[in-house]
Amino acid sequence: MTPMLEVKNVTKRFGGLVANDDISFAVAKGELLGIIGPNGAGKTTLFNCIAGAYKVDGGSIFFDGRDITGLTAHQTARRGLTRTFQVYAASGDLTVRENIMVGCFMNTRRRSEAAARADKILKDLQIDHLAPNLVNELPIAAQKRVVMATAIGTRPKMLLLDEVAAGLVPQEVEEISSLIRFVHDSMNITVVLIEHVMEMVTKLCRRVIVLDYGRKIAEGEPETVLATPDVVKAYLGEKYAREYARRVKECPEPSSSK
Ligand SMILES: Nc1ncnc2c1ncn2[C@@H]1O[C@H](COP(=O)(O)OP(=O)(O)OP(=O)(O)O)[C@@H](O)[C@H]1O
Ligand SMILES: [Mg+2]
């Protein structure tokens, strides 16, 4: 089957620094893929290359059967590939409803249509009670939901989520995980997420790729990948690896793909 996203030998340099070094992977329709790796590994840069914020220095990117290499962020979003930003990127001086409408304007110029779609998303994501609030007056966890809701407003086929759980306490991580699962399972949106919260990655994703110093160093099921010596060395540390192995033994992950 043709993958929904195919990244082929992508390289991105900043001067002498190779932030993405010959990276290749594919994402099938309906997947929920995780991208992990230490700070500075090149994860956000990869999203920027895929979503058109950066021009790649080498390689090519295919989405939904088309070559999207070199398209702008707006053009990729119009094709159904939408990303969220690691640094919070909803507009604070708009209300929650207006923010979501901004996303909806990707596919319509009619205010009434954008408003109707925003209202549906508010309901689906169970944040309709927040609609009139200014985004910058909300707690961080609620702001993250607005970021996701605004991205959903663009009608994505695929969502690229860059650390949506950053800065959240464990209970909020659970909540945003449930929201991601809902978006994936019930809205049929293929998801690629970058995350440092490993418990979240292992619960949500059946496949992960690992970046380190701009290179892809591992790819596969989380249980296998997180036990790989290179990954342990690069990222997790021996302590985490031991703890993780113990937990897998005591409480195996479900074997379903969702
Ligand atoms: N616009 C830029 N100009 C110059 N260097 C950059 C730029 N963006 C990223 N880099 C560098 O590229 C490397 C990869 O950065 P990137 O932000 O992609 O890492 P990351 O894996 O997302 O890290 P984190 O987990 O901290 O978010 C880093 O060394 C970073 O300093
Ligand atoms: Mg990053």
Side-chain angles (χ1 to χ4, degrees):
M1 201 179 73
T2 315
M4 182 173 243
L5 175 71
E6 205 169 3
V7 173
K8 289 184 180 174
N9 308 104
V10 160
T11 294
K12 176 67 192 172
R13 295 188 196 92
F14 297 111
L17 177 88
V18 188
N20 288 158
D21 189 357
D22 197 25
I23 292 179
S24 298
F25 66 98
V27 184
K29 186 174 185 325
E31 257 204 279
L32 207 169
L33 175 79
I35 299 181
I36 62 173
N39 295 119
K43 306 178 297 295
T44 298
T45 301
L46 185 59
F47 269 13
N48 281 326
C49 289
I50 295 169
Y54 293 156
K55 296 255 184 278
V56 298
D57 294 305
S60 49
I61 301 157
F62 291 81
F63 178 69
D64 211 17
R66 288 187 176 169
D67 188 347
I68 60 162
T69 321
L71 295 191
T72 63
H74 188 74
Q75 289 168 326
T76 59
R78 291 211 61 137
R79 281 166 171 73
L81 179 59
T82 298
R83 57 86 55 90
T84 64
F85 290 86
Q86 179 173 356
V87 179
Y88 171 69
S91 188
D93 52 358
L94 298 179
T95 67
V96 168
R97 186 170 184 259
E98 287 164 343
N99 249 286
I100 301 170
M101 283 173 69
V102 170
C104 299
F105 277 123
M106 177 71 68
N107 291 294
T108 180
R109 288 188 179 169
R110 293 176 51 189
R111 194 180 166 79
S112 59
E113 244 176 60
R117 176 147 173 78
D119 289 341
K120 167 109 178 51
I121 294 168
L122 281 161
K123 229 184 208 144
D124 287 348
L125 268 51
Q126 299 179 350
I127 51 171
D128 32 351
H129 58 290
L130 301 177
N133 290 74
L134 287 178
V135 176
N136 56 13
E137 289 174 352
L138 295 173
I140 182 88
Q143 293 188 19
K144 303 262 183 171
R145 296 178 96 80
V146 177
V147 168
M148 289 206 34
T150 304
I152 289 162
T154 65
R155 291 189 185 278
K157 294 173 186 160
M158 178 179 282
L159 259 184
L160 307 178
L161 302 174
D162 196 350
E163 294 200 37
V164 283
L168 302 184
V169 300
Q171 171 64 28
E172 294 165 341
V173 172
E174 290 278 331
E175 287 164 9
I176 202 90
S177 297
S178 300
L179 180 60
I180 293 169
R181 202 179 277 290
F182 172 77
V183 165
H184 174 260
D185 294 359
S186 303
M187 296 183 145
N188 296 316
I189 297 172
T190 304
V191 175
V192 181
L193 57 86
I194 292 172
E195 204 46 74
H196 281 290
V197 182
M198 222 38 62
E199 282 73 14
M200 177 174 166
V201 175
T202 54
K203 269 189 195 154
L204 284 176
C205 305
R206 299 314 309 146
R207 192 165 70 95
V208 295
I209 69 172
V210 188
L211 302 189
D212 186 33
Y213 287 109
R215 289 182 307 111
K216 187 180 86 176
I217 60 165
E219 175 174 13
E221 288 188 355
E223 293 78 6
T224 314
V225 162
L226 293 176
T228 308
D230 275 357
V231 176
V232 172
K233 197 169 136 209
Y235 187 28
L236 300 166
E238 298 287 348
K239 185 164 167 268
Y240 181 91
R242 273 199 306 275
E243 175 68 7
Y244 181 74
R246 184 182 63 74
R247 260 189 267 163
V248 168
K249 216 167 156 189
E250 284 171 7
C251 177
E253 298 286 337
S255 58
S256 91
S257 66
K258 286 190 171 175

mmCIF file of all heavy atoms in Angstrom, residues 44 86 162-163, ligand 2:
data_model
loop_
_atom_site.group_PDB
_atom_site.id
_atom_site.type_symbol
_atom_site.label_atom_id
_atom_site.label_comp_id
_atom_site.label_asym_id
_atom_site.label_seq_id
_atom_site.Cartn_x
_atom_site.Cartn_y
_atom_site.Cartn_z
ATOM 1 N N THR A 44 12.093 18.709 15.553
ATOM 2 C CA THR A 44 11.285 19.853 15.097
ATOM 3 C C THR A 44 11.712 20.273 13.698
ATOM 4 O O THR A 44 10.873 20.616 12.848
ATOM 5 C CB THR A 44 11.422 21.028 16.088
ATOM 6 O OG1 THR A 44 10.913 20.614 17.355
ATOM 7 C CG2 THR A 44 10.661 22.258 15.607
ATOM 8 N N GLN A 86 5.869 23.526 18.691
ATOM 9 C CA GLN A 86 6.394 23.181 20.015
ATOM 10 C C GLN A 86 6.210 24.372 20.961
ATOM 11 O O GLN A 86 5.775 24.229 22.086
ATOM 12 C CB GLN A 86 7.873 22.820 19.880
ATOM 13 C CG GLN A 86 8.559 22.468 21.170
ATOM 14 C CD GLN A 86 9.969 21.956 20.900
ATOM 15 O OE1 GLN A 86 10.382 21.810 19.760
ATOM 16 N NE2 GLN A 86 10.714 21.683 21.949
ATOM 17 N N ASP A 162 3.882 18.593 17.749
ATOM 18 C CA ASP A 162 5.224 18.787 18.317
ATOM 19 C C ASP A 162 5.131 19.073 19.816
ATOM 20 O O ASP A 162 4.837 20.193 20.233
ATOM 21 C CB ASP A 162 5.937 19.946 17.586
ATOM 22 C CG ASP A 162 7.436 19.946 17.855
ATOM 23 O OD1 ASP A 162 7.901 19.188 18.729
ATOM 24 O OD2 ASP A 162 8.145 20.717 17.172
ATOM 25 N N GLU A 163 5.359 18.046 20.604
ATOM 26 C CA GLU A 163 5.407 18.151 22.070
ATOM 27 C C GLU A 163 4.176 18.817 22.671
ATOM 28 O O GLU A 163 4.296 19.778 23.433
ATOM 29 C CB GLU A 163 6.672 18.896 22.498
ATOM 30 C CG GLU A 163 7.938 18.125 22.179
ATOM 31 C CD GLU A 163 9.122 18.585 23.005
ATOM 32 O OE1 GLU A 163 8.932 18.918 24.181
ATOM 33 O OE2 GLU A 163 10.230 18.613 22.447
HETATM 34 MG MG MG B 2 11.848 20.347 19.070
#
